[in-house]
Amino acid sequence: KMDHGELPPKKKKKKTKKAVAFEEPAAPPAPAPEEQAEEEQAEEEIGWGAFCDSLELDRRLARAVAQLGWTRPSLVQKATLPVALSGRDCLVRARTGSGKTACYALPILQKVLRDKASASDARKAYNGVRALVLLPTRELVAQARRQLLELAAYCRESVTVVALRGDSARDDALSVSESRGDIVCATPAAAREASEALLDAKHPLEELGSTCASYVIDEADLVLGFGYDEDVSSLIDRLQSQSKPHHL
C-alpha cells in the first residue's frame, strides 16, 4: 500500500547478455621452463643435413642446400616438405622470407630427377615440360628461376629451368622447345599466350596435359588479384585434360 502522493517504486530492469559471434579460446597453459628449454633445444638440433637425410633427398640437391649455407629448416619447410615430397597437394600460407620457394622447388626437382633416373643419358630423356610454376610478376618469375637453378647447381645437365619473359609469345614458345625445358616459370598470361602461339602440334606446351606432373601457383592471392583468373583457369584446364598433376 502507498500513501497519498507517494510515487511507486521503480522496477528494476533485467540485465541481458549480448550475443557473441566468436569467443577466442583460452590460451593454453605455458609450459614449464624445463619443457620449453627441451623443445627449443630439440628444434635447434634439426639441421638441414639431417633433414635432407630424413627426406631421402637426392644427394645433388642436398649438396646444393649445403652450399647455400642453410643451417636449419624453417617451420613452414619442416611442415611442408615431407608432405609435398610424398606427392600430395599442398596449400601453404607463411610470411615473406620464410623459405616458401624451397617448399615447392625441392619436390619439383626431386621428381624430375627421379623420372629421369632410369635413362642412361638424362639429357636425351626429355619427355616435355614436367612442372609449371605460375607467379604474378616478371620479377618474381626471375627470382623463382634463380632459386631453382641454385638448388639444381649439381644436376644442371639433367634439369633445365626456363623463364618466360612475356614480351613475345612466339619467342617464349621457342625458348621452351629449343632449351628442352623441364620446368617453366611464368606469369599466367605469358604461359597462356606462349601455349597459344605454338609452332607445331608436338610442342612441349601443347603436351602439358600428358607431361606436366606438378604445377605451382606462387603468391596465389596476388595472381588472382592481378586479374589472371581466366589465364589460370585456361592453363589448369589444359593441365588436367589428360592427367591430374601434383598441385603445390
Side-chain angles (χ1 to χ4, degrees):
K1 291 182 180 181
M2 296 181 294
D3 295 333
H4 181 68
E6 184 179 351
L7 295 174
K10 293 183 179 179
K11 292 183 180 180
K12 293 184 179 180
K13 293 183 180 180
K14 293 183 179 180
K15 293 183 179 180
T16 57
K17 293 183 178 180
K18 292 183 178 179
V20 178
F22 173 77
E23 185 174 354
E24 187 176 358
E34 296 80 5
E35 294 178 359
Q36 188 172 0
E38 289 177 4
E39 290 177 2
E40 291 176 355
Q41 184 178 2
E43 185 173 347
E44 289 178 0
E45 289 174 355
I46 301 175
W48 261 106
F51 191 49
C52 288
D53 291 341
S54 69
L55 297 173
E56 297 183 352
L57 203 64
D58 186 286
R59 290 187 177 183
R60 290 165 290 182
L61 300 180
R63 186 181 174 189
V65 167
Q67 180 176 301
L68 288 171
W70 296 356
T71 53
R72 292 189 299 273
S74 66
L75 182 62
V76 68
Q77 290 168 340
K78 286 188 290 185
T80 304
L81 281 169
V83 179
L85 285 164
S86 72
R88 293 166 61 188
D89 292 350
C90 297
L91 177 62
V92 180
R93 180 180 180 183
R95 60 181 174 78
T96 301
S98 59
K100 295 190 298 294
T101 304
C103 292
Y104 65 76
L106 287 170
I108 285 175
L109 290 168
Q110 175 96 333
K111 188 167 184 59
V112 172
L113 291 172
R114 283 186 174 177
D115 289 345
K116 292 188 174 186
S118 59
S120 57
D121 187 342
R123 287 173 295 182
K124 294 180 181 178
Y126 180 63
N127 294 315
V129 177
R130 302 295 299 164
L132 178 64
V133 182
L134 302 176
L135 303 106
T137 67
R138 186 183 296 184
E139 291 74 18
L140 291 175
V141 167
Q143 288 179 24
R145 179 177 183 268
R146 184 164 55 251
Q147 177 82 94
L148 282 157
L149 289 176
E150 289 174 347
L151 292 170
Y154 295 100
C155 54
R156 290 189 185 178
E157 75 286 351
S158 302
V159 182
T160 304
V161 184
V162 180
L164 305 188
R165 293 184 54 81
D167 294 330
S168 166
R170 186 178 183 280
D171 290 346
D172 282 342
L174 274 173
S175 70
V176 174
S177 57
E178 290 180 352
S179 63
R180 296 159 64 93
D182 298 298
I183 304 169
V184 173
C185 302
T187 64
R192 182 183 183 182
E193 289 168 5
S195 67
E196 293 174 351
L198 303 176
L199 305 177
D200 57 72
K202 294 184 179 180
H203 191 281
L205 293 177
E206 178 66 23
E207 304 293 327
L208 278 177
S210 59
T211 65
C212 187
S214 307
Y215 73 92
V216 176
I217 303 178
D218 196 355
E219 302 288 355
D221 54 338
L222 295 179
V223 167
L224 300 177
F226 285 7
Y228 288 126
D229 308 54
E230 291 185 6
D231 298 313
V232 172
S233 297
S234 174
L235 290 166
I236 291 178
D237 287 344
R238 182 186 291 269
L239 288 169
Q240 297 182 339
S241 61
Q242 299 178 42
S243 62
K244 189 178 179 182
H246 182 202
H247 178 200
L248 295 171

